[in-house]
Amino acid sequence: MSDMSDENFYDDIEDTMDEDSAYGYDDEREESGFGGNTDSDEEEEAILDDYGDVDDAFGTNDIGKERLKNWQVEFKSHSVESIVQAQKKEIDHVASMFMIKDTDAAILLRHFGWNKERLIERYMDSPEKVNLEAGVHEDPSRPRLQKLANFTCEICYLSSEDSPGGKMETLALACGHRYCKDCYQHYMEQKIQEEGESRRVQCMKEKCNLVIDEKTVGMVVKPRIFERYKTLLNRTYVDDSSTMRWCPAPNCELAVECHVSVKKLDKVVPSVRCDCGHPFCFGCGNAAHAPAVCPIVKLWLKKCEDDSETANWISANTKECPKCNSTIEKNGGCNHMTCRKCKHEWCWICSGPWSEHGNSWYNCNRFDEKSGSDARDTQAKSRASLERYLHYFNRFANHEQSARLDRDLYGRTEKKMEEMQLTSELTWIEVQFLKKAVDTLTECRMTLKWTYCMAYYLAKDNMTELFEDNQRDLEKAVEDLSEQLEKPIERDSIPDLRQRVTDLTVYVQKRREIMLSDTATGFEEGRWRWNVTF
Amino acid sequence: MRIASKRLTKELVELRNQGPPEGTAILLADDLKEWRFSISVLGESLYKGQTFGLRFRFPDNYPMESPEVIFMTTDGFKPPVHPHVYSSNGHICLSILGNEWSPVLNVSSILLSIQSMLASCKELKHPPDDERYGRHAPMSPKDSRFVYDDDSV
Ligand SMILES: [Zn+2]
Ligand SMILES: [Zn+2]
Ligand SMILES: [Zn+2]
Ligand SMILES: [Zn+2]
Ligand SMILES: [Zn+2]
Ligand SMILES: [Zn+2]
C-alpha cells in the first residue's frame, strides 16, 4: 500500500505524460471546429464524474484535478444541433478561404471526409482537379428554377406544350444539363427515400458527376423529404469523420468526439463516456475495455465466440461446497464463499480455500504455466492450452456475472435503506454511500474483467508479473468491498458500515487507478510483450 | 408511376415506329412491365450467326431506377458465353444497369450498350465466379453487388 500513499507517484505519471504531448490527441485540436480547448474544463469535470463528485464523503481528492490521468483521453459529447453548428463552421471557413459558395465548400468537405487539412492542401495544388473529382463546377450563381417555352425534357419526354401555359418548370446545375422540375423531384426522392443517399446525389445526365447541392435539393423536394435528407447528411458527417463516433447506446442520439488516431490504438485505450452515461471505447465502439487495447480485445472476443462450445461457462448461481458438497447459492458479487453447513470458507472462482486468498501468497488470478510447458504429446499440449484459456475466460466471465449480482444485491439493499430513511433520522445523503460503492464495484469489475483478456495475451516475463501483482491487489480490494455489501444492514450498525465501505471504496478506486496508469505507462514505454502478433 | 407509364408508352411508340436498333427486334411488349427482345451482333464478332434473347422488367419508378435486364434462358434461348454474363441465370454485369445508370438512358441505349459489350469481346469465356454466383445469386441481378471492372472486355 506504500506506493499509493506516496503523493509523488501521481506526479511521476503526469511528468511522463507531458513528454509525449501526442499521447491521446492530435495537435490540430484547435482546428477541430468545436472551439478548440475552450471547453476543456467542462470535459475534465465530465471525466472526474466517473469517480463521482469529489465530495467530503470520499475525503479530499486533489490529485490531477486540473489534468487528465495518463490512461484518460479527452472527449466530448455532441448533440445533433452542435453537429450542425460544427459543419456550418467548417463550411464557412472553407468557403471564405477559397472564395467559393458555401454549398460548394460543403460538397468539397464531404468529398474529403471532412478532413479540412487535406482538402486545403489538395485544393491549393490544383483546384480544377479537386473540383472535378468532388463533383463541383465553380459558378458564382446558384441553380434556380426557370419556366421555359419550347423545352422537351430528355427524361420524361414531355414538352412545354404539355404544361399549363405552354411553359415548363426546369432546372439545371452549373453543368447546364437541364431537365424538368418533376423529374428532378422524382429522382431526388428516389435517391433519398429509397436509396438512403445524401452526400453524393449527382446530376441526372449520364456520366456527369456534378453533385447536387443542399440548397438545390431543398428547392425541389417536399419538406418532409428534405428533413430526411438533412438527417442523412448529418449522419454522414459523423460516419465520415475519424474524430467522431455515434454513441452505441440504444436510443441515444448523441455523438462523441475524440482525437485518438487509429494508428495509436495498439498503445492507447480511448475510453469515453457519452453524456447519456454510456461508457464505451471510441476506438472500436465496444463497451469500455480498459486496460486491454482494441486489437487484443478483438482477438479475445473472436476467441470467446469460436470457443463458446468448449468453454461452456456455466453462469449458474449455485456450486457445491468443495468440502461437504452441500449446495451453495451465490447471491451477491462477492467470491468469498462460506458454507452454511460446514463453515468452510472457499473461493468461488478456483474452489481453493479462502485462507490462501487473504494473505500475500494469494495466487487466484495467476495461471500456473508449468503444467503446460511439461506437456510432451499434442494431446497433453492442447489440454494444457485449453486449461490456460479456461483459467482466463472463467475469471473474465465471473467478473461480468459478479458485477450483475453486486447490482442485484444492491437493488434489494436499496429498498431496505429507503424504508429506514422513512422510519429513522437517516438522511438521504447518509444512505448514498452504498450506491457509490456499488457503482465503483461495477466499474472495477469491468476493469478486472479486461485485465484477464490482456493477461491471456501477455508473454510470460517479469513485466507480466508486475501486471498480475496489480491485478491481484485490485481484485483483492474489490472482493473485500463486495463482501461488505453482503453484511446485514441494521440501523445501529450503519455508521460503522458507512465508514468501512467508504474507506474501502476510496481504496478500490485507487487500486484501479494504479492498475490503469501502470498499464498505460507500460504501453508508452513499450514494456508489454505479447504472445500473439496483431 | 405517372412518369414511368408516360415515358414507357413514348419509348414503345418510338420503338414501333422507328424500329429498335439494327440487329434487335421486339419479341414481346404487350404491357409496360416486361419487354423481350432478340439481339444479335452486327458485323464481325465472336458471336457471328448467334441470336440471344433479352428480358427487360421495369420498376415503378423507372427511369429514376434502372430496369432489370437479363439474357433469357427460356424459349430456346441461351445466354452468350461472355466474361460478364452468368451462364445459369443470364445475369449481366454491366455498369449502366447498376451504379452508372442515368435516367437519361433508355431501352434503345441499353440495347446498343449490350451489343457493343458483345462486339468488343475478345475471348469466349465465362465469368471467373460463374459457378459460385450461379449457386448463390439473388433472383434479380439488381440485388447483386457487382464490381464493374471493365465493361469493354
Ligand atoms: Zn422531365
Ligand atoms: Zn450535369
Ligand atoms: Zn449516449
Ligand atoms: Zn476498443
Ligand atoms: Zn460445506
Ligand atoms: Zn480463488
Side-chain angles (χ1 to χ4, degrees), chain A residues 153-158 168 179-184, chain B residues 3:
Chain A
C153 174
E154 225 187 308
I155 289 165
C156 59
Y157 295 2
L158 293 175
M168 201 174 200
Y179 305 102
C180 80
K181 188 200 166 196
D182 273 8
C183 280
Y184 254 110
Chain B
I3 292 187

Side-chain angles (χ1 to χ4, degrees), chain A residues 182-194 197-198 201-202 204 212-213 216-218 220-221 225 229, chain B residues 64:
Chain A
D182 273 8
C183 280
Y184 254 110
Q185 183 176 350
H186 275 87
Y187 172 73
M188 290 300 319
E189 297 189 352
Q190 154 78 13
K191 289 286 173 191
I192 298 163
Q193 286 290 85
E194 305 304 320
E197 183 55 70
S198 63
V201 183
Q202 298 176 343
M204 288 190 280
I212 307 176
D213 64 86
T216 307
V217 173
V220 169
V221 301
I225 292 174
Y229 168 80
Chain B
M64 301 313 161

Side-chain angles (χ1 to χ4, degrees), chain A residues 394-414:
Chain A
N394 282 336
R395 281 153 183 78
F396 174 86
N398 185 68
H399 280 299
E400 173 91 49
Q401 186 202 32
S402 291
R404 203 181 57 242
L405 293 173
D406 282 336
R407 297 208 81 84
D408 289 353
L409 178 67
Y410 171 68
R412 297 194 293 273
T413 314
E414 194 183 24

